[in-house]
Amino acid sequence: NYVQGLPNKEGAYCRSGSRTPMQWDDGINAGFSTAEKERLYLPIDPSSERPTVAAQDGDPSSLLNVVRRLIRLRKEIPALGARGEFEVLKKVGGGFPLVFRRSLGDSACVVAVNPSGKEVEASLATDGELTPLLICGTCERRRDGTTLTLKLGAASSAVFRETPTP
């Protein structure tokens, strides 16, 4: 959660608003510290709507739980690890979506990312099967022969396991 108007600290280059203390709960200083608020390195987000770990922990669609699922996928699927090969499959005219494949041995995944504020599509030439592993937002798939079209909603992403068709 970015907090506007904070002073630069130690070369933050206008990023201080992204470096505020972890907001654990709704307690004093959002559960980060029992110190007086004036003694905190950077102030806590003052919004009553600020996200907290306690609130997001029980929400399966929260950013916290999405990141947890991504970490679990990376540990479980070799292609998503540091040694996985990276191949861009589709980048539409310098825009979105960005679709890429990560592969290692017989492990392969296709990732589609649309951070834009509008729905986008990408068509890929593939005869493999894509099984959804994690979808954030909306993602529709449509196949016509060896062409697969992905339609991602605004600010959406998807991770698929790719398996070749026998």
Side-chain angles (χ1 to χ4, degrees):
N1 214 30
Y2 187 83
V3 179
Q4 296 283 340
L6 295 183
N8 277 334
K9 293 261 187 165
E10 298 179 20
Y13 304 106
C14 301
R15 296 184 312 238
S16 292
S18 298
R19 296 177 174 181
T20 59
M22 176 65 80
Q23 298 156 166
W24 293 100
D25 56 34
D26 290 326
I28 295 172
N29 293 322
F32 176 76
S33 171
T34 57
E36 296 294 319
K37 69 179 182 177
E38 296 78 21
R39 295 194 59 213
L40 297 176
Y41 182 72
L42 287 169
I44 300 291
D45 183 347
S47 171
S48 62
E49 302 293 316
R50 68 181 176 229
T52 65
V53 172
Q56 289 198 9
D57 193 39
D59 177 2
S61 64
S62 71
L63 178 60
L64 174 66
N65 283 310
V66 167
V67 170
R68 285 175 172 161
R69 287 195 304 274
L70 285 168
I71 291 169
R72 196 171 23 241
L73 282 176
R74 186 179 167 126
K75 288 179 179 178
E76 293 171 0
I77 300 172
L80 295 175
R83 292 189 174 105
E85 296 291 323
F86 178 87
E87 173 190 4
V88 173
L89 299 177
K90 194 71 163 186
K91 184 177 176 192
V92 180
F96 300 110
L98 170 62
V99 183
F100 59 91
R101 175 182 291 119
R102 296 290 311 271
S103 59
L104 183 66
D106 61 356
S107 171
C109 289
V110 171
V111 179
V113 181
N114 175 24
S116 78
K118 61 182 180 178
E119 184 177 272
V120 294
E121 282 191 5
S123 295
L124 314 169
T126 178
D127 58 357
E129 288 299 317
L130 298 184
T131 305
L133 296 172
L134 178 63
I135 295 179
C136 300
T138 61
C139 180
E140 297 174 19
R141 293 174 292 154
R142 190 174 64 247
R143 182 174 287 286
D144 183 15
T146 60
T147 300
L148 176 68
T149 301
L150 299 174
K151 181 166 41 170
L152 285 97
S156 292
S157 60
V159 180
F160 302 95
R161 182 182 310 274
E162 182 179 36
T163 52
T165 304

